[in-house]
Amino acid sequence: MTAAWEQQLEKIAAGEARMTTFMEQITGWVSTMVTTVKTNAEQLTQQDSGLKAAFADAKGTTHPCFTCGSPLKRIKGKNGFFWGCQSPSCKKTFPDNRGKPQQRTEPEDGPDCPDCGKTMRLRSGKAPGKTRATKFWGCSGYPECKGRLPYKRKRTTTA
């Protein structure tokens, strides 16, 4: 098959064939193969222990939710990756730390939310119209409560 592909690529380079046609053929072939494997995955893994091991590794490492224990999923958001709980009753999110979920530690001295009274969580994000991310206090009851306060860093003085 790779020899046939090489021949097609040579024809494309010589101007005798079109790249879009070649790519459509490969895309169709790959789609058919993926569908076949998905459809017959259970049968194939029962017959071939090598395939069974490959499918087990393909699932990747799973991480449990720090709150409820359900699986977490890594999600790409507009400000980078984060982890979301897949349980409909939990839906907690956690920051990404080099491809792994990071448990939040609530600051003990966080202010109370002026809207709902829950403890606020130190967050980082870009304000509208700004180019750099800044820290701010966000309500731990988000998304139900969207209370925010500016973060003022405590300055230490040396004598």
Side-chain angles (χ1 to χ4, degrees), residues 46-93:
Q46 288 174 354
Q47 296 170 357
D48 187 342
S49 61
L51 277 176
K52 190 172 192 170
F55 272 95
D57 290 343
K59 289 181 183 174
T61 306
T62 57
H63 298 281
C65 175
F66 297 111
T67 305
C68 72
S70 296
L72 291 174
K73 181 179 180 183
R74 190 171 187 230
I75 302 165
K76 182 167 174 64
K78 66 179 182 179
N79 295 319
F81 286 101
F82 67 96
W83 292 81
C85 180
Q86 298 303 290
S87 170
S89 61
C90 180
K91 294 189 177 179
K92 297 279 186 187
T93 61

Side-chain angles (χ1 to χ4, degrees), residues 34-49:
V34 168
T35 302
T36 302
V37 170
K38 279 184 177 180
T39 305
N40 302 315
E42 193 170 317
Q43 281 182 311
L44 293 170
T45 56
Q46 288 174 354
Q47 296 170 357
D48 187 342
S49 61

Side-chain angles (χ1 to χ4, degrees), residues 67-150:
T67 305
C68 72
S70 296
L72 291 174
K73 181 179 180 183
R74 190 171 187 230
I75 302 165
K76 182 167 174 64
K78 66 179 182 179
N79 295 319
F81 286 101
F82 67 96
W83 292 81
C85 180
Q86 298 303 290
S87 170
S89 61
C90 180
K91 294 189 177 179
K92 297 279 186 187
T93 61
F94 302 95
D96 182 72
N97 183 11
R98 297 182 180 171
K100 294 182 181 176
Q102 182 178 18
Q103 187 169 9
R104 285 194 172 96
T105 55
E106 297 294 328
E108 295 169 11
D109 59 342
D112 290 338
C113 178
D115 297 338
C116 72
K118 290 185 179 179
T119 303
M120 298 193 91
R121 182 182 291 159
L122 190 60
R123 300 180 184 260
S124 179
K126 271 196 278 188
K130 301 284 183 176
T131 56
R132 291 182 34 183
T134 57
K135 291 185 178 180
F136 64 93
W137 292 105
C139 183
S140 61
Y142 183 86
E144 291 81 23
C145 177
K146 294 180 171 61
R148 298 173 55 128
L149 289 173

